[in-house]
Amino acid sequence: SYFITGDLSERDHLISQPNISFGIKDWYEISAGFKAWPVEGAAPSTALPVCRLYSAHVESHYYTVDEEECEFLQTLGWQFQGNAFKAIPAVGGVCPSGTVAVLRLYIDRMPDYNMNHRFTTDTEAYQSMIHQGWTGEGVAFCSPE
């Protein structure tokens, strides 16, 4: 399972707590993540809020810069947890200069386990996970360099 957060206290809390879900004993930080603009504060005019959703049914968090997708997923029972940060939408899968593509992967291990999404800027990790059975969904959004 993968989880991202821009909230350092949330990160520290998860790392300090045992995670006994699905036989996973602990949460730990696997990468430096990616940069993002704050929900409130300075950001380019093209940066949009990134919606954070959670589904207890599939035990997964999901992040999207697409407001319509955010609203649609809520009609399917995903819980809106607020806007996590701001990012720039990719145009045709391409990020503008000065930004980095944040790639999204998906795996569905239902009904025995859960589904999960992973967000990464590491293209090697992205390709490796596709070879491990994850579905690459391309550029989710663009973050600052």
Side-chain angles (χ1 to χ4, degrees):
S1 292
Y2 293 90
F3 177 72
I4 63 170
T5 181
D7 182 332
L8 295 179
S9 62
E10 183 176 43
R11 180 204 64 188
D12 293 345
H13 174 75
L14 286 172
I15 290 171
S16 72
Q17 299 298 309
N19 174 16
I20 56 170
S21 299
F22 311 112
I24 300 168
K25 295 189 171 112
D26 295 302
W27 288 103
Y28 57 96
E29 192 169 10
I30 62 165
S31 74
F34 53 87
K35 296 178 183 177
W37 292 282
V39 173
E40 301 294 329
S45 61
T46 54
L48 300 175
V50 175
C51 165
R52 175 174 154 171
L53 299 156
Y54 176 74
S55 170
H57 176 71
V58 297
E59 297 189 13
S60 184
H61 283 86
Y62 187 76
Y63 297 81
T64 181
V65 72
D66 184 329
E67 185 178 351
E68 288 180 15
E69 182 179 39
C70 180
E71 291 172 5
F72 174 72
L73 288 170
Q74 289 175 71
T75 69
L76 299 179
W78 286 75
Q79 177 188 13
F80 177 69
Q81 293 187 317
N83 292 315
F85 49 87
K86 284 186 178 178
I88 296 175
V91 177
V94 177
C95 289
S97 80
T99 66
V100 175
V102 177
L103 306 165
R104 183 173 57 219
L105 297 125
Y106 163 82
I107 193 163
D108 185 351
R109 298 172 287 206
M110 297 294 280
D112 298 325
Y113 191 47
N114 69 346
M115 65 182 271
N116 196 236
H117 294 89
R118 182 172 182 196
F119 298 81
T120 183
T121 59
D122 184 337
T123 55
E124 287 182 26
Y126 182 78
Q127 291 301 323
S128 175
M129 293 184 77
I130 289 171
H131 292 301
Q132 295 172 39
W134 289 68
T135 300
E137 296 184 313
V139 180
F141 42 79
C142 309
S143 70
E145 287 185 322

